[in-house]
């Protein structure tokens, strides 16, 4: 039996609506969002969906995070606390703004930042907290830590479309800025794309300028008022993203329904930890955390042998152990900004420094690909395969 995948047409929701949208955009002859209407409409629809005043579209999730980091304006050498379990798109924008990523350890079961570890990592140069809603589970407790320290909270919602906090607020609306990705493997896609949401008009303006070369484009002027890049989304991408955004509630409903079925089917298995709160989880992937002596690589191999799309650990190594942080130069041959923090704040990277994250990646975390097109039969086969793999 084959499993629908986000890499294939049968595992995506790209259909007549997206074809119509792209054709509509093409027919106007205007493919740039500076003068077109699709991307501006997408921003309004995204803001409305999240009940926030501002949304800004851009070219990727990494770009969205770069807009957010640039907007909170770290001084060179300032620190931003983030998670060691994420895509590098969470961290690269910190380095690109000449700030230093500080990794706090994660909860051993959710893989989300541990608020106590974040609080302990706050120092005199901390400029922001960048939390990741890993696999679509809300990273809770960070707003309180950020507020207590007077810091902005950036939420990385790339994997967390329509994730809800326990009090039902949407991920992306609890922090200062929420960042989303429309890359191929996300809940909805336009190939590559990003969106930020915020309630803060000043930050929204900074982000819009940063995405468009620092060019306000008001009153026909050609003045560049701040440092910016070209991170604009095209009208073609924007038109597709609008059609996809309209399908988002259906995508989430389908993923939650089948994920609940798998949670129920595996609930009695000893040594297996499943996400809590399936109705608020976005189920980008279905994560399972195993108790020793179960081993993630071993269980993933058994599942793969049965054709189940599963992978051990999610990453090859947690981000604080990735060569880009432990050894590679950032600019030219220089490791700046990692090479020049004050001596008492040298960033601590490498194995042995974030044990919960390291254990998840190397021993306990298993992720199963998830998809809105899974049927009950897909779920029942996965459940049976997991049961065999962990009870042999
Ligand atoms: C948690 C997380 N953050 C950031 C990114 C970066 O997004 P993008 O690939 O759209 O640049 C991704 C996905 O790739 C992600 O999963």
């Amino acid at each position: 039996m084959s499993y629908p995948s986000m890499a294939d047409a049968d595992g995506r929701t790209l259909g007549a609506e997206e074809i119509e949208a792209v054709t509509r955009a093409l027919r106007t002859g205007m493919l740039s969002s500076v003068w077109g209407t699709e991307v501006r409409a997408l921003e309004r629809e995204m803001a409305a969906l999240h009940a926030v005043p501002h949304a800004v579209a851009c070219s990727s999730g990494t770009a969205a995070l770069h807009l957010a980091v640039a907007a909170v304006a770290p001084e060179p050498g300032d620190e931003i606390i983030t998670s060691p379990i994420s895509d590098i798109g969470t961290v690269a924008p910190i380095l690109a703004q000449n700030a230093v990523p500080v990794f706090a350890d994660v909860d051993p079961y959710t893989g989300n930042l541990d608020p106590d570890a974040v609080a302990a990592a706050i120092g005199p140069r901390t400029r922001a907290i960048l939390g990741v809603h890993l696999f679509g589970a809300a990273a809770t407790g960070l707003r309180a830590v950020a507020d207590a320290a007077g810091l902005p909270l950036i939420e990385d919602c790339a994997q967390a479309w329509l994730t809800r906090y326990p009090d039902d607020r949407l991920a992306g609306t609890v922090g200062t800025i929420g960042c989303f990705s429309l890359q191929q493997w996300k809940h909805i896609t336009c190939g590559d794309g990003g969106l930020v949401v915020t309630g803060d008009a000043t930050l929204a303006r900074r982000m819009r300028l940063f995405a468009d070369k620092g060019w306000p484009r008001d009153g026909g002027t050609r003045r560049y008022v701040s440092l910016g890049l070209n991170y604009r989304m095209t009208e073609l991408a924007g038109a597709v993203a609008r059609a996809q955004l309209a399908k988002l509630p259906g995508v989430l409903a389908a993923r939650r329904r089948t994920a609940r079925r798998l949670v129920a089917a595996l609930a009695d298995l000893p040594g297996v930890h499943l996400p809590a709160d399936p109705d608020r989880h976005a189920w980008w992937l279905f994560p399972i955390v195993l108790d020793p002596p179960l081993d993630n690589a071993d269980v993933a191999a058994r599942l793969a042998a049965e054709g189940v799309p599963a992978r051990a650990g999610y990453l090859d190594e947690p981000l604080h152990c990735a060569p880009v942080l432990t050894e590679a130069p950032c600019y030219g041959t220089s490791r700046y900004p990692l090479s020049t923090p004050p001596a008492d704040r040298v960033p601590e990277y490498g194995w042995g420094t974030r044990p919960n994250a390291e254990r998840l990646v190397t021993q306990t975390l298993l992720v199963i690909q998830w998809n809105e097109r899974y049927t009950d039969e897909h779920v029942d086969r996965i459940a049976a395969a997991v049961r065999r793999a962990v009870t042999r």
Side-chain angles (χ1 to χ4, degrees):
M1 165 176 235
S2 73
Y3 292 84
S5 154
M6 288 181 271
D8 299 320
D10 70 355
R12 298 264 34 148
T13 54
L14 298 165
E17 299 78 6
E18 286 74 12
I19 292 170
E20 192 281 319
V22 135
T23 311
R24 182 178 70 226
L26 276 172
R27 286 212 172 97
T28 67
M30 172 49 68
L31 302 187
S32 167
S33 59
V34 176
W35 301 275
T37 58
E38 298 287 346
V39 172
R40 296 291 92 83
L42 171 68
E43 291 170 345
R44 286 194 298 276
E45 288 155 8
M46 180 70 176
L49 179 66
H50 289 84
V52 295
H54 310 283
V56 179
C58 57
S59 53
S60 69
T62 305
L65 287 149
H66 199 177
L67 301 190
V69 171
V72 302
E75 298 293 336
D78 275 356
E79 299 171 350
I80 296 187
I81 299 173
T82 193
S83 172
I85 305 191
S86 186
D87 179 83
I88 194 66
T90 309
V91 172
I94 300 174
L95 294 172
Q97 287 311 104
N98 294 314
V100 177
V102 169
F103 296 99
D105 209 354
V106 297
D107 177 273
Y109 295 109
T110 66
N112 279 331
L113 276 173
D114 170 357
D116 291 337
V118 172
I122 293 174
R125 297 217 61 179
T126 307
R127 185 65 193 85
I129 297 169
L130 202 178
V132 180
H133 303 295
L134 189 65
F135 310 136
T140 56
L142 299 179
R143 179 67 203 242
V145 174
D147 284 350
L151 294 170
L153 171 65
I154 300 170
E155 296 182 72
D156 181 341
C157 310
Q159 306 178 359
W161 286 92
L162 298 186
T163 287
R164 287 190 182 274
Y165 280 82
D167 66 4
D168 276 339
R169 283 182 295 173
L170 281 173
T173 66
V174 168
T176 319
I177 302 171
C179 305
F180 295 80
S181 166
L182 290 152
Q183 175 258 1
Q184 176 69 39
W185 291 86
K186 297 305 186 291
H187 292 82
I188 56 172
T189 189
C190 58
D192 271 307
L195 281 157
V196 292
V197 296
T198 184
D200 184 314
T202 303
L203 294 178
R205 178 173 161 82
R206 276 190 208 161
M207 292 193 283
R208 191 171 290 292
L209 284 170
F210 196 80
D212 191 16
K213 302 186 279 193
W215 185 355
R217 299 189 187 266
D218 35 24
T221 54
R222 188 157 191 152
R223 295 183 67 217
Y224 305 108
V225 300
S226 53
L227 178 65
L229 301 169
N230 179 349
Y231 276 157
R232 297 189 305 253
M233 179 183 278
T234 70
E235 288 288 277
L236 293 174
V240 172
R242 288 181 71 192
Q244 287 275 283
L245 194 68
K247 297 179 183 179
L248 187 60
V251 168
L252 266 292
R255 284 180 182 242
R256 284 178 176 142
R257 189 191 71 77
T258 47
R260 274 198 306 269
R261 187 176 178 91
L262 187 56
V263 168
L266 300 180
D268 66 324
L269 267 185
V272 163
H273 300 264
L274 307 171
D277 216 352
D279 291 329
R280 293 184 177 81
H281 200 292
W283 300 108
W284 179 60
L285 299 177
F286 190 109
I288 296 178
V289 175
L290 305 166
D291 280 338
L294 290 170
D295 170 80
N296 62 354
D298 177 48
V299 174
R302 289 182 195 187
L303 291 175
E306 296 207 41
V308 173
R311 181 187 161 117
Y314 172 58
L315 301 168
D316 285 5
E317 59 220 342
L319 297 179
H320 67 284
C321 303
V324 57
L325 288 158
T326 56
E327 59 195 61
C330 292
Y331 302 100
T333 56
S334 163
R335 296 231 331 127
Y336 181 85
L338 303 180
S339 54
T340 54
D344 59 334
R345 298 291 299 172
V346 173
E348 204 184 26
Y349 300 141
W351 292 101
T353 62
R354 303 290 175 269
N356 292 345
E358 293 163 28
R359 202 176 313 108
L360 279 163
V361 169
T362 60
Q363 292 170 39
T364 61
L365 172 65
L366 179 77
V367 289
I368 299 173
Q369 301 278 337
W370 213 246
N371 196 281
E372 54 275 19
R373 293 272 166 78
Y374 280 6
T375 62
D376 288 352
E377 197 190 346
H378 288 116
V379 175
D380 295 348
R381 281 181 183 243
I382 293 172
V386 171
R387 192 168 283 276
R388 278 191 293 277
V390 304
T391 52
R392 264 195 355 190

